């Protein structure tokens, strides 16, 4: 039995399952199969920052400002991800914090430097802050792209042995530049401390989805898809 601690001193280790859905009908069918209606939905606008040469992305780092309408702004930094053998379970270091509307707008209009704001938010010596600065070097970091996302959460009790573990299924409808629409599900596995717990809960979620008649297909990160779309324009 492994006892690797999934918590970290520098922030949260984001552990989640991601898989594609073919369309809105598949999304509705899975929500019904899981025993709920989902909601209320949240409208999100996601803005990504990088150098013109994509230095952060090439180094596998992500810097994102998310606006949730009616809820405020979050600035998030993420590190390189690890994926399971089937490509659906991911782990990555994540640090984030709230920004007020004035500070968020200064990022969007280019009057504030994204890495400076991140340093102020998390502390200049935080591991992810140091890593992003090193990846960018002397190049300017600014907004390079954005997309809109509608997220509908649904909490499901998943059996984990004798324990019923609350798991939040987040159903996403994402509109990328050019009008491409993707559907997917993200299931963040929270409150776990060991690899064994992570794997057991991930397998239980996979089983639930398969029983609903949904084929499990991994989904690349939304940031990766966004940058691929932008590179073709």
């Amino acid at each position: 039995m492994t006892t690797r601690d999934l918590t970290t001193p520098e922030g949260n280790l984001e552990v989640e399952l991601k898989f594609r859905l073919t369309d809105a009908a598949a999304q509705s069918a899975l929500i019904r199969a899981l025993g709920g209606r989902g909601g209320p939905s949240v409208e999100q606008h996601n803005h990504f920052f990088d150098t013109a040469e994509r230095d952060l992305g090439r180094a596998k780092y992500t810097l994102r400002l998310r606006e949730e309408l009616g809820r405020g702004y979050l600035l998030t930094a993420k590190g390189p991800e690890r994926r399971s053998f089937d490509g659906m379970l991911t782990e990555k270091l994540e640090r984030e914090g709230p920004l007020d509307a004035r500070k968020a707008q200064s990022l969007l209009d280019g009057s504030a430097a994204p890495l400076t704001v991140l340093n102020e938010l998390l502390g200049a010596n935080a591991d992810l802050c140091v890593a992003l600065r090193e990846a960018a070097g002397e190049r300017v970091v600014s907004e390079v792209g954005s997309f809109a996302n509608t997220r509908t959460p649904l909490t499901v009790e998943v059996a984990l042995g004798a324990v019923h573990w609350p798991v939040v299924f987040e159903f996403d409808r994402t509109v990328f530049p050019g009008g491409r629409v993707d559907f997917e599900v993200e299931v963040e596995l929270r409150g776990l401390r060991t690899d064994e717990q992570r794997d057991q809960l991930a397998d239980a979620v996979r089983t639930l989805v398969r029983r609903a008649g949904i084929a499990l297909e991994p989904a690349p990160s939304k940031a990766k898809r966004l940058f691929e779309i932008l590179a073709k324009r």
Side-chain angles (χ1 to χ4, degrees), residues 183-221:
F183 293 86
E184 67 190 88
V185 182
E186 294 186 2
V187 185
E188 192 164 349
L189 307 181
R190 299 173 178 166
L192 306 173
R193 293 193 60 85
T194 68
D195 286 339
E196 183 178 50
Q197 288 180 330
R198 175 206 63 196
D199 292 343
Q200 288 177 345
L201 188 55
D203 285 344
V205 170
R206 288 186 181 97
T207 298
L208 271 181
V209 174
R210 289 192 182 101
R211 285 176 179 169
I214 302 296
L216 289 169
E217 181 183 352
S221 73

Side-chain angles (χ1 to χ4, degrees), residues 8-26:
T8 73
E10 278 294 333
N12 297 319
L13 189 64
E14 180 189 64
V15 182
E16 64 183 5
L17 282 166
K18 298 180 183 181
F19 53 92
R20 297 178 184 270
L21 295 173
T22 54
D23 51 27

Side-chain angles (χ1 to χ4, degrees), residues 49 63 75 106-107 110-120 140-141:
F49 302 87
L63 182 59
L75 185 63
S106 72
L107 286 178
S111 62
L115 295 186
T116 299
V117 175
L118 185 69
N119 291 343
E120 294 170 351
V140 174
V141 174

Side-chain angles (χ1 to χ4, degrees), residues 146-147 174-181 226 229-230 233:
S146 64
F147 59 74
T174 306
V175 182
F176 290 100
R180 169 177 156 181
V181 179
L226 171 65
I229 290 169
L230 294 176
R233 301 184 77 184

